[in-house]
Short mmCIF file of all heavy atoms in Angstrom, two decimals:
data_model
loop_
_atom_site.label_atom_id
_atom_site.label_comp_id
_atom_site.label_asym_id
_atom_site.label_seq_id
_atom_site.Cartn_x
_atom_site.Cartn_y
_atom_site.Cartn_z
N MET A 1 14.72 26.12 -62.80
CA MET A 1 14.15 25.03 -63.63
C MET A 1 13.53 24.06 -62.66
O MET A 1 12.40 23.57 -62.85
CB MET A 1 15.19 24.41 -64.48
CG MET A 1 14.69 23.31 -65.37
SD MET A 1 13.66 24.09 -66.71
CE MET A 1 13.20 22.70 -67.62
N GLU A 2 14.24 23.66 -61.63
CA GLU A 2 13.77 22.74 -60.68
C GLU A 2 12.55 23.27 -59.90
O GLU A 2 11.59 22.49 -59.73
CB GLU A 2 14.89 22.37 -59.65
CG GLU A 2 14.52 21.24 -58.63
CD GLU A 2 14.38 19.94 -59.33
OE1 GLU A 2 14.99 19.68 -60.38
OE2 GLU A 2 13.59 19.11 -58.74
N GLN A 3 12.55 24.56 -59.66
CA GLN A 3 11.44 25.17 -58.87
C GLN A 3 10.16 25.19 -59.78
O GLN A 3 9.05 24.90 -59.31
CB GLN A 3 11.76 26.59 -58.59
CG GLN A 3 10.72 27.31 -57.67
CD GLN A 3 10.58 26.64 -56.31
OE1 GLN A 3 11.52 26.04 -55.76
NE2 GLN A 3 9.42 26.77 -55.72
N SER A 4 10.35 25.41 -61.15
CA SER A 4 9.21 25.40 -61.97
C SER A 4 8.55 24.08 -62.10
O SER A 4 7.36 23.85 -62.28
CB SER A 4 9.60 25.95 -63.35
OG SER A 4 10.52 25.20 -64.02
N LYS A 5 9.46 22.96 -62.10
CA LYS A 5 8.94 21.65 -62.19
C LYS A 5 8.13 21.30 -60.92
O LYS A 5 7.03 20.64 -61.08
CB LYS A 5 10.12 20.57 -62.35
CG LYS A 5 10.67 20.51 -63.74
CD LYS A 5 11.77 19.46 -63.71
CE LYS A 5 12.31 19.28 -65.16
NZ LYS A 5 13.34 18.14 -65.19
N GLN A 6 8.62 21.69 -59.86
CA GLN A 6 7.87 21.48 -58.56
C GLN A 6 6.50 22.19 -58.52
O GLN A 6 5.57 21.55 -58.10
CB GLN A 6 8.70 21.88 -57.37
CG GLN A 6 9.88 20.92 -57.18
CD GLN A 6 10.67 21.30 -55.94
OE1 GLN A 6 10.42 22.42 -55.30
NE2 GLN A 6 11.63 20.54 -55.49
N ASN A 7 6.48 23.43 -59.13
CA ASN A 7 5.26 24.09 -59.21
C ASN A 7 4.27 23.54 -60.18
O ASN A 7 3.07 23.44 -59.89
CB ASN A 7 5.51 25.57 -59.58
CG ASN A 7 6.18 26.45 -58.55
OD1 ASN A 7 6.09 26.02 -57.36
ND2 ASN A 7 6.82 27.46 -58.92
N ILE A 8 4.78 23.02 -61.23
CA ILE A 8 3.96 22.32 -62.19
C ILE A 8 3.27 20.97 -61.61
O ILE A 8 2.07 20.72 -61.77
CB ILE A 8 4.67 22.02 -63.48
CG1 ILE A 8 4.97 23.32 -64.25
CG2 ILE A 8 3.84 21.01 -64.43
CD1 ILE A 8 5.78 23.14 -65.52
N ILE A 9 4.12 20.29 -60.84
CA ILE A 9 3.71 19.14 -60.22
C ILE A 9 2.64 19.40 -59.19
O ILE A 9 1.61 18.74 -59.07
CB ILE A 9 4.86 18.31 -59.65
CG1 ILE A 9 5.67 17.69 -60.76
CG2 ILE A 9 4.37 17.17 -58.66
CD1 ILE A 9 7.00 17.04 -60.31
N LYS A 10 2.87 20.45 -58.41
CA LYS A 10 1.78 20.86 -57.39
C LYS A 10 0.50 21.25 -58.02
O LYS A 10 -0.51 20.93 -57.62
CB LYS A 10 2.33 22.01 -56.51
CG LYS A 10 3.40 21.67 -55.53
CD LYS A 10 3.90 22.82 -54.79
CE LYS A 10 5.04 22.47 -53.82
NZ LYS A 10 5.53 23.59 -53.06
N ILE A 11 0.58 21.95 -59.18
CA ILE A 11 -0.63 22.43 -59.83
C ILE A 11 -1.36 21.22 -60.41
O ILE A 11 -2.54 21.03 -60.28
CB ILE A 11 -0.30 23.38 -61.00
CG1 ILE A 11 0.22 24.71 -60.40
CG2 ILE A 11 -1.46 23.63 -61.98
CD1 ILE A 11 0.78 25.78 -61.43
N LEU A 12 -0.58 20.23 -60.99
CA LEU A 12 -1.18 19.00 -61.56
C LEU A 12 -1.89 18.14 -60.42
O LEU A 12 -2.90 17.54 -60.60
CB LEU A 12 -0.18 18.23 -62.32
CG LEU A 12 0.21 18.78 -63.64
CD1 LEU A 12 1.38 17.92 -64.30
CD2 LEU A 12 -0.95 18.98 -64.63
N LEU A 13 -1.27 18.13 -59.31
CA LEU A 13 -1.79 17.40 -58.15
C LEU A 13 -3.08 18.03 -57.68
O LEU A 13 -4.04 17.27 -57.34
CB LEU A 13 -0.79 17.28 -57.04
CG LEU A 13 0.35 16.25 -57.21
CD1 LEU A 13 1.30 16.41 -56.05
CD2 LEU A 13 -0.12 14.85 -57.32
N ILE A 14 -3.15 19.35 -57.62
CA ILE A 14 -4.29 20.09 -57.22
C ILE A 14 -5.46 19.85 -58.23
O ILE A 14 -6.55 19.58 -57.79
CB ILE A 14 -4.10 21.57 -57.03
CG1 ILE A 14 -3.15 21.73 -55.70
CG2 ILE A 14 -5.34 22.33 -56.83
CD1 ILE A 14 -2.55 23.08 -55.61
N VAL A 15 -5.11 19.89 -59.53
CA VAL A 15 -6.16 19.67 -60.50
C VAL A 15 -6.69 18.27 -60.45
O VAL A 15 -7.83 18.06 -60.60
CB VAL A 15 -5.57 19.97 -61.92
CG1 VAL A 15 -6.42 19.45 -63.08
CG2 VAL A 15 -5.19 21.43 -62.10
N ASN A 16 -5.73 17.27 -60.25
CA ASN A 16 -6.18 15.93 -60.12
C ASN A 16 -7.08 15.76 -58.94
O ASN A 16 -8.10 15.08 -58.98
CB ASN A 16 -4.92 15.00 -59.96
CG ASN A 16 -5.24 13.55 -60.05
OD1 ASN A 16 -6.39 13.19 -60.38
ND2 ASN A 16 -4.30 12.70 -59.74
N LEU A 17 -6.80 16.42 -57.81
CA LEU A 17 -7.64 16.29 -56.60
C LEU A 17 -9.00 16.91 -56.85
O LEU A 17 -10.01 16.32 -56.49
CB LEU A 17 -6.92 17.04 -55.44
CG LEU A 17 -7.74 17.07 -54.14
CD1 LEU A 17 -7.87 15.64 -53.51
CD2 LEU A 17 -7.09 17.95 -53.14
N VAL A 18 -9.11 18.00 -57.62
CA VAL A 18 -10.35 18.58 -57.92
C VAL A 18 -11.08 17.66 -58.81
O VAL A 18 -12.36 17.58 -58.54
CB VAL A 18 -10.10 20.05 -58.49
CG1 VAL A 18 -11.42 20.61 -59.11
CG2 VAL A 18 -9.56 20.93 -57.53
N ILE A 19 -10.51 17.21 -59.80
CA ILE A 19 -11.30 16.24 -60.74
C ILE A 19 -11.80 15.06 -59.96
O ILE A 19 -12.94 14.62 -60.20
CB ILE A 19 -10.37 15.91 -61.99
CG1 ILE A 19 -10.09 17.08 -62.74
CG2 ILE A 19 -11.01 14.82 -62.73
CD1 ILE A 19 -9.15 16.93 -63.98
N SER A 20 -10.95 14.44 -59.13
CA SER A 20 -11.40 13.24 -58.36
C SER A 20 -12.54 13.63 -57.42
O SER A 20 -13.44 12.81 -57.30
CB SER A 20 -10.17 12.74 -57.58
OG SER A 20 -9.12 12.37 -58.42
N THR A 21 -12.44 14.82 -56.84
CA THR A 21 -13.50 15.19 -55.99
C THR A 21 -14.81 15.39 -56.67
O THR A 21 -15.85 14.94 -56.28
CB THR A 21 -13.22 16.50 -55.16
OG1 THR A 21 -11.88 16.25 -54.53
CG2 THR A 21 -14.23 16.83 -54.21
N CYS A 22 -14.77 15.92 -57.85
CA CYS A 22 -15.99 16.12 -58.58
C CYS A 22 -16.59 14.88 -59.07
O CYS A 22 -17.77 14.65 -59.11
CB CYS A 22 -15.69 17.11 -59.78
SG CYS A 22 -15.33 18.79 -59.34
N THR A 23 -15.69 13.93 -59.51
CA THR A 23 -16.10 12.67 -59.93
C THR A 23 -16.78 11.92 -58.72
O THR A 23 -17.82 11.22 -59.00
CB THR A 23 -14.88 11.81 -60.47
OG1 THR A 23 -14.35 12.56 -61.53
CG2 THR A 23 -15.35 10.46 -60.94
N ALA A 24 -16.25 11.95 -57.60
CA ALA A 24 -16.85 11.24 -56.41
C ALA A 24 -18.15 11.85 -56.04
O ALA A 24 -19.14 11.10 -55.85
CB ALA A 24 -15.86 11.34 -55.22
N ILE A 25 -18.28 13.10 -56.20
CA ILE A 25 -19.58 13.77 -55.90
C ILE A 25 -20.62 13.36 -56.96
O ILE A 25 -21.71 13.07 -56.61
CB ILE A 25 -19.39 15.32 -55.89
CG1 ILE A 25 -18.65 15.63 -54.65
CG2 ILE A 25 -20.76 16.01 -55.88
CD1 ILE A 25 -18.19 17.13 -54.60
N GLY A 26 -20.17 13.28 -58.32
CA GLY A 26 -21.08 12.93 -59.33
C GLY A 26 -21.63 11.48 -59.18
O GLY A 26 -22.72 11.23 -59.33
N VAL A 27 -20.66 10.60 -58.88
CA VAL A 27 -21.04 9.22 -58.67
C VAL A 27 -21.97 9.07 -57.46
O VAL A 27 -23.00 8.32 -57.52
CB VAL A 27 -19.82 8.31 -58.55
CG1 VAL A 27 -20.12 6.89 -58.00
CG2 VAL A 27 -19.08 8.21 -59.85
N GLY A 28 -21.66 9.79 -56.41
CA GLY A 28 -22.55 9.74 -55.19
C GLY A 28 -23.93 10.28 -55.53
O GLY A 28 -24.93 9.68 -55.17
N TYR A 29 -24.05 11.35 -56.35
CA TYR A 29 -25.24 11.90 -56.70
C TYR A 29 -26.14 10.95 -57.58
O TYR A 29 -27.26 10.76 -57.35
CB TYR A 29 -25.07 13.20 -57.54
CG TYR A 29 -26.45 13.75 -58.06
CD1 TYR A 29 -27.25 14.41 -57.11
CD2 TYR A 29 -26.69 13.68 -59.37
CE1 TYR A 29 -28.46 14.96 -57.66
CE2 TYR A 29 -27.92 14.25 -59.90
CZ TYR A 29 -28.71 14.90 -58.97
OH TYR A 29 -29.85 15.42 -59.51
N VAL A 30 -25.46 10.19 -58.53
CA VAL A 30 -26.11 9.29 -59.39
C VAL A 30 -26.61 8.05 -58.57
O VAL A 30 -27.77 7.63 -58.72
CB VAL A 30 -25.23 8.78 -60.55
CG1 VAL A 30 -25.75 7.56 -61.24
CG2 VAL A 30 -24.93 9.89 -61.47
N VAL A 31 -25.86 7.58 -57.69
CA VAL A 31 -26.24 6.47 -56.81
C VAL A 31 -27.44 6.92 -55.89
O VAL A 31 -28.36 6.11 -55.78
CB VAL A 31 -25.04 5.93 -55.92
CG1 VAL A 31 -25.56 5.06 -54.79
CG2 VAL A 31 -24.06 5.38 -56.80
N TYR A 32 -27.40 8.15 -55.36
CA TYR A 32 -28.47 8.58 -54.55
C TYR A 32 -29.80 8.69 -55.35
O TYR A 32 -30.89 8.24 -54.95
CB TYR A 32 -28.18 9.95 -53.99
CG TYR A 32 -29.26 10.70 -53.33
CD1 TYR A 32 -29.82 10.29 -52.07
CD2 TYR A 32 -29.97 11.75 -53.96
CE1 TYR A 32 -30.90 10.96 -51.52
CE2 TYR A 32 -31.07 12.37 -53.35
CZ TYR A 32 -31.51 11.96 -52.18
OH TYR A 32 -32.57 12.55 -51.61
N LYS A 33 -29.74 9.23 -56.63
CA LYS A 33 -30.87 9.43 -57.47
C LYS A 33 -31.47 8.01 -57.87
O LYS A 33 -32.65 7.93 -57.94
CB LYS A 33 -30.56 10.24 -58.78
CG LYS A 33 -30.34 11.69 -58.41
CD LYS A 33 -31.44 12.41 -57.89
CE LYS A 33 -32.46 12.82 -58.89
NZ LYS A 33 -33.53 13.62 -58.32
N GLN A 34 -30.66 7.11 -58.12
CA GLN A 34 -31.12 5.73 -58.46
C GLN A 34 -31.72 5.12 -57.26
O GLN A 34 -32.72 4.33 -57.44
CB GLN A 34 -29.94 4.92 -58.98
CG GLN A 34 -29.63 5.22 -60.39
CD GLN A 34 -28.65 4.30 -61.02
OE1 GLN A 34 -27.99 3.57 -60.23
NE2 GLN A 34 -28.40 4.36 -62.33
N SER A 35 -31.21 5.31 -56.10
CA SER A 35 -31.85 4.63 -54.93
C SER A 35 -33.17 5.32 -54.49
O SER A 35 -34.06 4.62 -53.85
CB SER A 35 -30.95 4.77 -53.73
OG SER A 35 -30.81 6.11 -53.27
N THR A 36 -33.43 6.58 -54.96
CA THR A 36 -34.80 7.19 -54.64
C THR A 36 -35.74 7.04 -55.80
O THR A 36 -36.95 7.33 -55.57
CB THR A 36 -34.51 8.68 -54.30
OG1 THR A 36 -33.92 9.30 -55.38
CG2 THR A 36 -33.65 8.81 -53.06
N SER A 37 -35.32 6.72 -56.98
CA SER A 37 -36.24 6.67 -58.08
C SER A 37 -36.92 5.22 -58.07
O SER A 37 -36.36 4.26 -57.49
CB SER A 37 -35.54 6.78 -59.41
OG SER A 37 -34.62 5.84 -59.63
N PRO A 38 -38.05 5.09 -58.61
CA PRO A 38 -38.71 3.76 -58.70
C PRO A 38 -37.99 2.74 -59.49
O PRO A 38 -37.24 3.10 -60.46
CB PRO A 38 -40.06 4.04 -59.37
CG PRO A 38 -39.86 5.31 -60.06
CD PRO A 38 -38.85 6.11 -59.47
N ASN A 39 -37.98 1.54 -58.97
CA ASN A 39 -37.35 0.38 -59.75
C ASN A 39 -38.20 -0.03 -60.86
O ASN A 39 -39.25 -0.60 -60.57
CB ASN A 39 -37.02 -0.74 -58.66
CG ASN A 39 -36.16 -1.73 -59.34
OD1 ASN A 39 -35.79 -1.73 -60.58
ND2 ASN A 39 -35.78 -2.71 -58.52
N PHE A 40 -37.75 0.18 -62.09
CA PHE A 40 -38.61 -0.18 -63.25
C PHE A 40 -38.85 -1.69 -63.38
O PHE A 40 -39.81 -2.16 -63.93
CB PHE A 40 -38.07 0.48 -64.52
CG PHE A 40 -38.18 1.90 -64.53
CD1 PHE A 40 -37.16 2.69 -64.35
CD2 PHE A 40 -39.45 2.54 -64.79
CE1 PHE A 40 -37.21 4.08 -64.32
CE2 PHE A 40 -39.51 3.91 -64.75
CZ PHE A 40 -38.46 4.73 -64.53
N SER A 41 -37.94 -2.51 -62.88
CA SER A 41 -38.12 -3.99 -63.05
C SER A 41 -39.22 -4.39 -62.08
O SER A 41 -39.79 -5.45 -62.29
CB SER A 41 -36.85 -4.70 -62.63
OG SER A 41 -36.47 -4.38 -61.28
N GLU A 42 -39.64 -3.65 -61.08
CA GLU A 42 -40.71 -4.08 -60.26
C GLU A 42 -42.04 -3.41 -60.50
O GLU A 42 -43.06 -3.70 -60.01
CB GLU A 42 -40.40 -3.75 -58.71
CG GLU A 42 -39.16 -4.52 -58.23
CD GLU A 42 -38.80 -4.12 -56.76
OE1 GLU A 42 -39.46 -3.15 -56.19
OE2 GLU A 42 -37.81 -4.63 -56.30
N MET A 43 -42.05 -2.43 -61.47
CA MET A 43 -43.25 -1.74 -61.80
C MET A 43 -44.22 -2.69 -62.55
O MET A 43 -43.74 -3.46 -63.45
CB MET A 43 -42.91 -0.55 -62.65
CG MET A 43 -42.32 0.60 -61.87
SD MET A 43 -42.06 2.09 -62.84
CE MET A 43 -43.80 2.55 -63.13
N GLY A 44 -45.49 -2.64 -62.22
CA GLY A 44 -46.48 -3.48 -62.94
C GLY A 44 -46.67 -4.78 -62.23
O GLY A 44 -47.58 -5.46 -62.58
N THR A 45 -45.95 -5.08 -61.16
CA THR A 45 -46.15 -6.39 -60.55
C THR A 45 -47.21 -6.29 -59.45
O THR A 45 -48.09 -7.18 -59.38
CB THR A 45 -44.87 -6.89 -59.89
OG1 THR A 45 -44.39 -5.93 -58.95
CG2 THR A 45 -43.83 -7.08 -60.94
N ARG A 46 -47.26 -5.21 -58.74
CA ARG A 46 -48.34 -4.99 -57.74
C ARG A 46 -48.48 -6.08 -56.73
O ARG A 46 -49.56 -6.27 -56.19
CB ARG A 46 -49.66 -4.58 -58.38
CG ARG A 46 -49.60 -3.35 -59.23
CD ARG A 46 -50.87 -3.05 -59.82
NE ARG A 46 -50.73 -1.95 -60.77
CZ ARG A 46 -51.70 -1.74 -61.69
NH1 ARG A 46 -52.73 -2.37 -61.78
NH2 ARG A 46 -51.46 -0.73 -62.50
N GLY A 47 -47.49 -6.98 -56.61
CA GLY A 47 -47.56 -8.10 -55.66
C GLY A 47 -48.44 -9.17 -56.10
O GLY A 47 -48.70 -10.11 -55.45
N GLU A 48 -49.02 -9.04 -57.33
CA GLU A 48 -50.04 -10.12 -57.74
C GLU A 48 -49.48 -10.90 -58.91
O GLU A 48 -50.10 -11.78 -59.48
CB GLU A 48 -51.33 -9.38 -58.31
CG GLU A 48 -51.87 -8.62 -57.20
CD GLU A 48 -52.92 -7.59 -57.82
OE1 GLU A 48 -53.10 -7.61 -58.99
OE2 GLU A 48 -53.46 -6.85 -56.97
N GLY A 49 -48.14 -10.67 -59.34
CA GLY A 49 -47.55 -11.35 -60.44
C GLY A 49 -47.92 -10.86 -61.73
O GLY A 49 -47.72 -11.47 -62.75
N GLN A 50 -48.62 -9.76 -61.90
CA GLN A 50 -48.94 -9.13 -63.19
C GLN A 50 -47.66 -8.59 -63.79
O GLN A 50 -46.86 -7.98 -63.09
CB GLN A 50 -49.94 -8.02 -63.03
CG GLN A 50 -51.28 -8.47 -62.52
CD GLN A 50 -52.16 -7.28 -62.33
OE1 GLN A 50 -51.79 -6.18 -62.49
NE2 GLN A 50 -53.52 -7.55 -61.98
N MET A 51 -47.53 -8.74 -65.06
CA MET A 51 -46.28 -8.36 -65.64
C MET A 51 -46.70 -7.58 -66.92
O MET A 51 -47.78 -7.54 -67.36
CB MET A 51 -45.41 -9.57 -66.12
CG MET A 51 -45.02 -10.48 -64.81
SD MET A 51 -44.01 -11.75 -65.21
CE MET A 51 -42.46 -11.16 -64.52
N PHE A 52 -45.61 -7.02 -67.50
CA PHE A 52 -45.79 -6.24 -68.75
C PHE A 52 -46.27 -7.14 -69.95
O PHE A 52 -45.77 -8.12 -69.96
CB PHE A 52 -44.54 -5.49 -69.14
CG PHE A 52 -44.11 -4.37 -68.21
CD1 PHE A 52 -43.00 -4.48 -67.48
CD2 PHE A 52 -44.94 -3.21 -68.12
CE1 PHE A 52 -42.61 -3.50 -66.75
CE2 PHE A 52 -44.55 -2.20 -67.30
CZ PHE A 52 -43.41 -2.28 -66.54
N PRO A 53 -47.11 -6.65 -70.74
CA PRO A 53 -47.46 -7.38 -71.99
C PRO A 53 -46.22 -7.70 -72.78
O PRO A 53 -45.42 -6.82 -72.92
CB PRO A 53 -48.54 -6.57 -72.72
CG PRO A 53 -48.97 -5.52 -71.73
CD PRO A 53 -47.89 -5.45 -70.75
N GLY A 54 -46.15 -8.81 -73.37
CA GLY A 54 -45.02 -9.13 -74.34
C GLY A 54 -43.94 -9.82 -73.66
O GLY A 54 -42.80 -9.99 -74.17
N ASN A 55 -44.18 -10.31 -72.39
CA ASN A 55 -43.10 -11.03 -71.71
C ASN A 55 -43.25 -12.52 -71.78
O ASN A 55 -42.65 -13.23 -71.03
CB ASN A 55 -43.06 -10.52 -70.31
CG ASN A 55 -44.37 -10.93 -69.47
OD1 ASN A 55 -45.26 -11.41 -70.11
ND2 ASN A 55 -44.33 -10.67 -68.22
N GLY A 56 -44.08 -12.94 -72.71
CA GLY A 56 -44.37 -14.40 -72.91
C GLY A 56 -45.58 -14.95 -72.16
O GLY A 56 -45.95 -16.07 -72.44
N GLN A 57 -46.22 -14.12 -71.34
CA GLN A 57 -47.41 -14.60 -70.70
C GLN A 57 -48.60 -13.99 -71.52
O GLN A 57 -48.62 -12.91 -71.97
CB GLN A 57 -47.45 -14.10 -69.23
CG GLN A 57 -46.46 -14.69 -68.34
CD GLN A 57 -46.78 -14.32 -66.86
OE1 GLN A 57 -47.50 -13.35 -66.59
NE2 GLN A 57 -46.06 -14.92 -66.01
N PHE A 58 -49.57 -14.91 -71.66
CA PHE A 58 -50.78 -14.48 -72.42
C PHE A 58 -51.78 -13.74 -71.55
O PHE A 58 -51.90 -14.17 -70.38
CB PHE A 58 -51.51 -15.80 -73.00
CG PHE A 58 -50.70 -16.39 -74.19
CD1 PHE A 58 -49.95 -17.58 -73.87
CD2 PHE A 58 -50.58 -15.84 -75.33
CE1 PHE A 58 -49.16 -18.15 -74.95
CE2 PHE A 58 -49.84 -16.32 -76.37
CZ PHE A 58 -49.08 -17.57 -76.15
N GLN A 59 -52.26 -12.74 -72.13
CA GLN A 59 -53.31 -11.99 -71.38
C GLN A 59 -54.71 -12.46 -71.80
O GLN A 59 -54.93 -13.05 -72.86
CB GLN A 59 -53.08 -10.39 -71.78
CG GLN A 59 -51.79 -9.89 -71.54
CD GLN A 59 -51.52 -9.91 -70.03
OE1 GLN A 59 -52.31 -9.51 -69.19
NE2 GLN A 59 -50.18 -10.07 -69.70
N PRO A 60 -55.67 -12.18 -70.97
CA PRO A 60 -57.07 -12.68 -71.31
C PRO A 60 -57.55 -12.02 -72.67
O PRO A 60 -57.30 -10.82 -72.94
CB PRO A 60 -57.92 -12.10 -70.21
CG PRO A 60 -57.03 -11.88 -69.05
CD PRO A 60 -55.66 -11.58 -69.65
N GLY A 61 -58.09 -12.96 -73.52
CA GLY A 61 -58.51 -12.48 -74.81
C GLY A 61 -57.45 -12.33 -75.86
O GLY A 61 -57.72 -12.06 -76.99
N GLN A 62 -56.22 -12.71 -75.57
CA GLN A 62 -55.19 -12.73 -76.57
C GLN A 62 -55.25 -14.02 -77.28
O GLN A 62 -55.41 -15.07 -76.76
CB GLN A 62 -53.88 -12.49 -75.89
CG GLN A 62 -52.72 -12.33 -76.76
CD GLN A 62 -51.38 -12.01 -75.99
OE1 GLN A 62 -51.42 -12.16 -74.82
NE2 GLN A 62 -50.33 -11.67 -76.65
N PHE A 63 -55.00 -13.93 -78.58
CA PHE A 63 -55.00 -15.14 -79.48
C PHE A 63 -53.62 -16.01 -79.13
O PHE A 63 -52.69 -15.59 -78.96
CB PHE A 63 -54.87 -14.84 -80.95
CG PHE A 63 -54.70 -15.93 -81.83
CD1 PHE A 63 -55.85 -16.88 -81.97
CD2 PHE A 63 -53.56 -16.21 -82.52
CE1 PHE A 63 -55.70 -17.91 -82.90
CE2 PHE A 63 -53.40 -17.19 -83.31
CZ PHE A 63 -54.45 -18.03 -83.55
N GLN A 64 -53.97 -17.28 -78.87
CA GLN A 64 -52.92 -18.27 -78.63
C GLN A 64 -52.79 -19.16 -79.77
O GLN A 64 -53.69 -19.98 -80.16
CB GLN A 64 -53.21 -19.05 -77.35
CG GLN A 64 -53.36 -18.17 -76.16
CD GLN A 64 -53.63 -18.93 -74.96
OE1 GLN A 64 -53.63 -20.15 -74.93
NE2 GLN A 64 -53.95 -18.31 -73.83
N PRO A 65 -51.73 -19.09 -80.57
CA PRO A 65 -51.60 -19.82 -81.82
C PRO A 65 -51.65 -21.36 -81.62
O PRO A 65 -52.09 -22.10 -82.62
CB PRO A 65 -50.27 -19.40 -82.52
CG PRO A 65 -49.57 -18.48 -81.44
CD PRO A 65 -50.54 -18.22 -80.39
N ASP A 66 -51.16 -21.84 -80.46
CA ASP A 66 -51.10 -23.37 -80.28
C ASP A 66 -52.54 -23.80 -79.81
O ASP A 66 -52.59 -24.99 -79.51
CB ASP A 66 -49.96 -23.78 -79.46
CG ASP A 66 -50.10 -23.09 -78.04
OD1 ASP A 66 -50.88 -22.20 -77.89
OD2 ASP A 66 -49.37 -23.52 -77.14
N GLN A 67 -53.45 -23.01 -79.67
CA GLN A 67 -54.74 -23.42 -79.13
C GLN A 67 -55.55 -24.14 -80.22
O GLN A 67 -55.50 -23.82 -81.39
CB GLN A 67 -55.51 -22.13 -78.64
CG GLN A 67 -56.79 -22.48 -77.94
CD GLN A 67 -57.49 -21.22 -77.42
OE1 GLN A 67 -57.16 -20.13 -77.86
NE2 GLN A 67 -58.36 -21.44 -76.55
N ASP A 68 -56.23 -25.15 -79.86
CA ASP A 68 -57.04 -26.01 -80.77
C ASP A 68 -58.16 -25.19 -81.14
O ASP A 68 -59.08 -24.78 -80.39
CB ASP A 68 -57.46 -27.31 -80.08
CG ASP A 68 -58.16 -28.30 -81.06
OD1 ASP A 68 -57.99 -28.09 -82.25
OD2 ASP A 68 -58.74 -29.25 -80.52
N GLN A 69 -58.33 -24.97 -82.54
CA GLN A 69 -59.39 -24.13 -83.03
C GLN A 69 -60.73 -24.82 -83.05
O GLN A 69 -61.81 -24.28 -83.08
CB GLN A 69 -59.10 -23.57 -84.51
CG GLN A 69 -57.86 -22.67 -84.48
CD GLN A 69 -58.14 -21.38 -83.83
OE1 GLN A 69 -59.27 -20.94 -83.89
NE2 GLN A 69 -57.13 -20.81 -83.17
N SER A 70 -60.66 -26.19 -83.13
CA SER A 70 -61.99 -26.95 -83.21
C SER A 70 -62.72 -26.87 -81.87
O SER A 70 -63.96 -26.90 -81.83
CB SER A 70 -61.67 -28.39 -83.58
OG SER A 70 -60.88 -29.01 -82.45
N SER A 71 -62.12 -26.60 -80.73
CA SER A 71 -62.79 -26.62 -79.52
C SER A 71 -63.60 -25.19 -79.38
O SER A 71 -64.54 -25.10 -78.75
CB SER A 71 -61.85 -26.70 -78.38
OG SER A 71 -60.94 -25.61 -78.30
N GLN A 72 -63.09 -24.26 -80.12
CA GLN A 72 -63.82 -22.93 -80.11
C GLN A 72 -65.01 -22.93 -81.02
O GLN A 72 -65.92 -22.25 -80.86
CB GLN A 72 -62.93 -21.82 -80.58
CG GLN A 72 -61.80 -21.48 -79.58
CD GLN A 72 -60.90 -20.37 -80.04
OE1 GLN A 72 -61.05 -19.92 -81.19
NE2 GLN A 72 -60.04 -19.88 -79.21
N ASN A 73 -65.03 -23.82 -82.08
CA ASN A 73 -66.09 -23.86 -83.07
C ASN A 73 -67.22 -24.74 -82.61
O ASN A 73 -68.34 -24.84 -83.19
CB ASN A 73 -65.53 -24.38 -84.43
CG ASN A 73 -64.58 -23.48 -85.01
OD1 ASN A 73 -64.62 -22.34 -84.72
ND2 ASN A 73 -63.73 -24.02 -85.82
N GLN A 74 -67.20 -25.37 -81.50
CA GLN A 74 -68.30 -26.25 -81.00
C GLN A 74 -69.41 -25.48 -80.29
O GLN A 74 -69.24 -24.63 -79.81
CB GLN A 74 -67.75 -27.35 -80.05
CG GLN A 74 -66.80 -28.26 -80.80
CD GLN A 74 -66.15 -29.32 -79.87
OE1 GLN A 74 -66.38 -29.21 -78.65
NE2 GLN A 74 -65.45 -30.28 -80.38
#
């Protein structure tokens, strides 16, 4: 009985080691892929401050609701 308990514990430790190793490899792979993929938060800036539409900045030709309409009618 004591021998079978020790064998079960050894098997569980080996399984735990295998699972931990696979997890570490998976996390390392995800970190590597994220470090080599483009950063989406920097896309569209091109160093000129251009940003995605819809971020609160008005693009040329876009209607601005707080703009005085009488100045356009003159």
Side-chain angles (χ1 to χ4, degrees):
M1 185 69 179
E2 185 68 27
Q3 185 66 26
S4 64
K5 282 185 177 181
Q6 287 181 352
N7 287 340
I8 291 174
I9 290 175
K10 285 180 183 179
I11 291 171
L12 289 176
L13 286 173
I14 292 171
V15 168
N16 189 11
L17 179 65
V18 169
I19 291 173
S20 300
T21 304
C22 290
T23 303
I25 291 171
V27 169
Y29 176 75
V30 169
V31 169
Y32 170 75
K33 290 300 278 185
Q34 284 185 346
S35 68
T36 58
S37 66
N39 188 354
F40 291 107
S41 64
E42 295 177 358
M43 287 184 67
T45 58
R46 297 181 189 162
E48 302 162 1
Q50 297 176 353
M51 303 184 106
F52 291 115
N55 62 356
Q57 291 187 350
F58 290 105
Q59 304 295 325
Q62 186 178 7
F63 174 70
Q64 299 178 10
D66 59 347
Q67 189 176 16
D68 187 13
Q69 293 294 327
S70 63
S71 64
Q72 290 182 350
N73 295 335
Q74 293 177 354

